[in-house]
Amino acid sequence: MDTQKIINEGYISGLLEKAKEASKDDILKIIEKSKDCFGLTFEEASVLLQVEDDELLNEMFNAAKYIKEKIYGNRIVIFAPLYTSNECTNNCLYCGFRAANKELHRRTLSAMEVVNESKAIEDQGHKRILLVCGEDPKKTDIDHIVDSVKAIYDNTDIRRINVNAAPLPVEDFKKLKKVGIGTYQIFQETYHRETYKIMHPTGSKADYDWRLTALERAFEAGIDDLGIGVLLGLYDYKFDVLATLIHSDYLDNKYNVGPHTISIPRLRPAHNSALKEVPCPVSDKDLKKIVAVYRLAVPYTGIILSTREGAGLRDELLELGVSQISAGSKTNPGGYEEDDREATQFETSDERSVDEMLQVVARQGHLPSFCTACYREKRTGEAFMELAKDAHIHEFCHPNAILTFKEYLLDYGSEETRKEGEALLEKELNKVVEKKIKEETIKRLERLEAGERDLYF
Ligand code: SAM
Ligand code: SF4
């Protein structure tokens, strides 16, 4: 396949250059247009990426908030990463797991240890896990991933497992599909070839094209729930964000369904990293702009925010269109049972517990959701997008968020969170307009109070 056709660097740089000519009026028109929720052209997204003026940025932030509320309501989906291994034969300069880091405490969890970690995550109240591992053909091959997923589903109440792992051939993706993963997620890190080459000097990850085409192989294997992103800080973020939008559009055109989520990881200090400084720093203001541009450009794509970011900024980004957040995260295998700084991939920044995080989320007027219903009801890929674009998704997601948050409050909530949470749930219930759904939700809340679990629409 000619991957230059997917990402044409000259085209991207040309768009960004031309975008500098846009007037204030042009920018305001683009922001206004975005509120129709039909997304933006690449030209329009480039113009917004060039905005530096605070007043205009505020207009973008307001539009992002408006679109987020219109499409997703005030729900925020909660998840936790589970690192099954930090063994890796690649040498990504920025990562603590790189093979050349001889000081890292290496460990690959057995299926039993994976189950113990999952139970520790579950004890925080989580229902959704993102399974993550290094790339080592002997230690973290497809069997390791499949066995880990199986062990979690068979031995815990975790309801959905997403996977972030190295690119696979089609036959291995089929095994992932068969074992019932939710989203398959992979970050291109940077779409800029030359920078990619420098950052990934050896190992199989040095192959840019094999990585770029991973999502197509996943799709061919039947996985239609896909996540993408770039590692912000490696190269000019404007280039990489625009390239992400182009990649997303390419997949959408080819398979009639674009990526389900875009992640926004920003480079963090890593134990023994080969990068002594961030090559292309992305400021907090830039990150807010990036979230807003994604929300305006691809309104139906979820945006995932991890604990790489600090508490204050995370709280602000929640307002701008983020739809999923991790909480209470550890980035070393075995980390939920025993923290070992010398085994981590990178330093997390937001150290708040799940319960503390939920209090903040609820206090800000967002509704935390532990829902996993769409995936279990096979509302994924094209089927999901159709529902989302018709806004029917609200009919399921909102009551499901209410029910799953209620479960959390009953089983794991601290007294303070329960107080905040119950007040929020009452308000949310009043927002359910469809009479039948409201009555059924009330009944199900009572059933939860009486001890039943896992009720969803
Ligand atoms: N090993 C697989 C790979 O590289 O695709 C999958 C998991 S890797 C542990 C997950 C992601 O962590 C990478 O894609 C990269 O974007 C991110 N990452 C690595 N080092 C990081 C750092 N120092 N700061 C922030 N994110 C980092
Ligand atoms: Fe290995 Fe992934 Fe880290 Fe690269 S980013 S060194 S592939 S774990």
Side-chain angles (χ1 to χ4, degrees):
M1 182 195 299
D2 182 5
T3 48
Q4 304 280 359
K5 280 196 186 141
I6 310 175
I7 300 298
N8 180 326
E9 295 186 4
Y11 172 63
I12 295 174
S13 305
L15 282 177
L16 287 170
E17 210 36 54
K18 179 97 190 19
K20 290 181 185 162
E21 295 164 13
S23 67
K24 186 174 172 185
D25 231 32
D26 296 332
I27 296 168
L28 287 171
K29 270 189 200 142
I30 296 172
I31 298 173
E32 203 44 45
K33 179 199 153 186
S34 73
K35 293 185 193 161
D36 292 338
C37 296
F38 291 122
L40 300 178
T41 63
F42 302 141
E43 285 79 3
E44 291 164 341
S46 312
V47 168
L48 296 191
L49 280 167
Q50 295 291 13
V51 172
E52 297 296 343
D53 176 82
D54 285 335
E55 203 184 312
L56 289 170
L57 280 174
N58 264 333
E59 292 293 327
M60 284 165 64
F61 298 158
N62 289 337
K65 194 171 174 198
Y66 170 84
I67 295 167
K68 153 86 171 44
E69 295 260 322
K70 196 165 160 189
I71 295 177
Y72 292 88
N74 59 344
R75 291 184 312 281
I76 299 285
V77 170
I78 314 288
F79 73 97
L82 191 171
Y83 281 70
T84 62
S85 173
N86 58 7
E87 309 213 45
C88 195
T89 49
N90 290 320
N91 254 317
C92 314
L93 298 191
Y94 45 81
C95 179
F97 294 175
R98 69 199 172 94
N101 182 5
K102 299 295 175 208
E103 287 171 24
L104 192 82
H105 299 170
R106 304 267 172 193
R107 183 175 175 195
T108 297
L109 303 184
S110 66
M112 189 50 79
E113 288 169 328
V114 168
V115 169
N116 290 341
E117 277 289 277
S118 306
K119 286 189 173 158
I121 291 175
E122 209 183 314
D123 285 344
Q124 300 183 354
H126 285 291
K127 302 288 181 219
R128 185 188 281 245
I129 274 179
L130 172 67
L131 194 145
V132 186
C133 59
E135 182 177 7
D136 182 324
K138 291 200 186 107
K139 305 277 177 56
T140 65
D141 61 358
I142 186 65
D143 292 337
H144 164 80
I145 300 175
V146 165
D147 292 347
S148 300
V149 172
K150 249 196 218 146
I152 301 172
Y153 280 141
D154 289 350
N155 297 288
T156 75
D157 285 331
I158 293 296
R159 298 173 185 162
R160 173 178 174 134
I161 304 167
N162 299 331
V163 172
N164 182 322
L168 299 167
V170 176
E171 55 277 19
D172 286 354
F173 276 126
K174 282 187 180 158
K175 293 181 187 168
L176 276 191
K177 166 80 185 164
K178 198 165 163 223
V179 78
I181 65 157
T183 309
Y184 170 68
Q185 183 185 81
I186 184 168
F187 306 150
Q188 186 61 26
E189 319 297 13
T190 174
Y191 286 92
H192 188 253
R193 266 176 202 273
E194 207 180 299
T195 307
Y196 187 94
K197 203 168 158 196
I198 297 167
M199 295 294 158
H200 308 100
T202 58
S204 50
K205 193 158 162 182
D207 189 341
Y208 174 108
D209 292 324
W210 178 246
R211 197 165 181 88
L212 187 66
T213 51
L215 293 173
E216 288 165 70
R217 292 190 299 282
F219 209 96
E220 275 167 42
I223 301 175
D224 59 4
D225 196 329
L226 304 167
I228 61 174
V230 284
L231 183 52
L232 297 162
L234 294 185
Y235 186 62
D236 173 19
Y237 74 85
K238 295 175 186 170
F239 179 99
D240 270 332
V241 168
L242 194 54
T244 306
L245 291 174
I246 290 172
H247 191 190
S248 164
D249 184 66
Y250 167 83
L251 294 167
D252 200 356
N253 285 332
K254 188 161 176 183
Y255 299 106
N256 220 8
V257 45
H260 187 58
T261 55
I262 296 181
S263 298
I264 48 164
R266 184 164 59 157
L267 196 57
R268 292 283 304 151
H271 177 60
N272 241 342
S273 163
L275 290 182
K276 294 304 159 219
E277 54 191 42
V278 178
C280 296
V282 173
S283 68
D284 289 358
K285 182 172 154 183
D286 296 334
L287 192 62
K288 284 160 68 175
K289 175 165 69 175
I290 291 167
V291 171
V293 169
Y294 280 141
R295 183 42 68 235
L296 269 54
V298 281
Y300 293 93
T301 308
I303 300 178
I304 303 184
L305 173 65
S306 73
T307 56
R308 289 173 179 88
E309 302 306 331
L313 182 63
R314 291 227 309 163
D315 298 350
E316 277 190 68
L317 291 172
L318 283 181
E319 301 283 335
L320 299 184
V322 162
S323 52
Q324 286 191 33
I325 56 168
S326 50
S329 308
K330 302 288 176 206
T331 69
N332 59 302
Y336 293 94
E337 294 200 288
E338 186 194 340
D339 223 351
D340 176 1
R341 219 190 135 255
E342 312 274 287
T344 56
Q345 188 191 20
F346 53 81
E347 291 170 19
T348 53
S349 190
D350 187 347
E351 307 289 349
R352 288 174 291 187
S353 69
V354 177
D355 199 70
E356 285 168 320
M357 192 67 224
L358 294 188
Q359 256 179 55
V360 174
V361 171
R363 211 172 291 138
Q364 284 190 355
H366 301 294
L367 174 61
S369 175
F370 291 89
C371 181
T372 54
C374 278
Y375 146 77
R376 290 154 90 205
E377 288 292 304
K378 307 266 180 294
R379 297 193 293 256
T380 63
E382 210 171 334
F384 174 85
M385 279 301 168
E386 267 170 26
L387 273 173
K389 286 185 182 166
D390 278 358
H392 283 312
I393 202 78
H394 265 315
E395 288 171 23
F396 305 108
C397 297
H398 186 233
N400 282 343
I402 292 176
L403 293 172
T404 54
F405 187 40
K406 176 75 177 181
E407 262 191 352
Y408 174 86
L409 294 176
L410 287 170
D411 294 341
Y412 306 98
S414 64
E415 203 178 311
E416 188 56 34
T417 310
R418 240 181 264 167
K419 215 165 75 195
E420 298 266 353
E422 289 294 346
L424 176 71
L425 285 183
E426 207 174 305
K427 271 195 221 150
E428 293 302 321
L429 201 55
N430 284 328
K431 286 192 201 160
V432 183
V433 275
E434 188 70 42
K435 194 166 164 263
K436 265 198 184 144
I437 295 188
K438 187 170 177 176
E439 284 169 0
E440 187 53 36
T441 308
I442 293 172
K443 270 192 211 147
R444 290 184 187 198
L445 283 170
E446 287 164 0
R447 284 166 62 192
L448 289 174
E449 294 262 9
E452 270 188 79
R453 290 292 175 266
D454 202 12
L455 303 174
Y456 56 90
F457 290 93

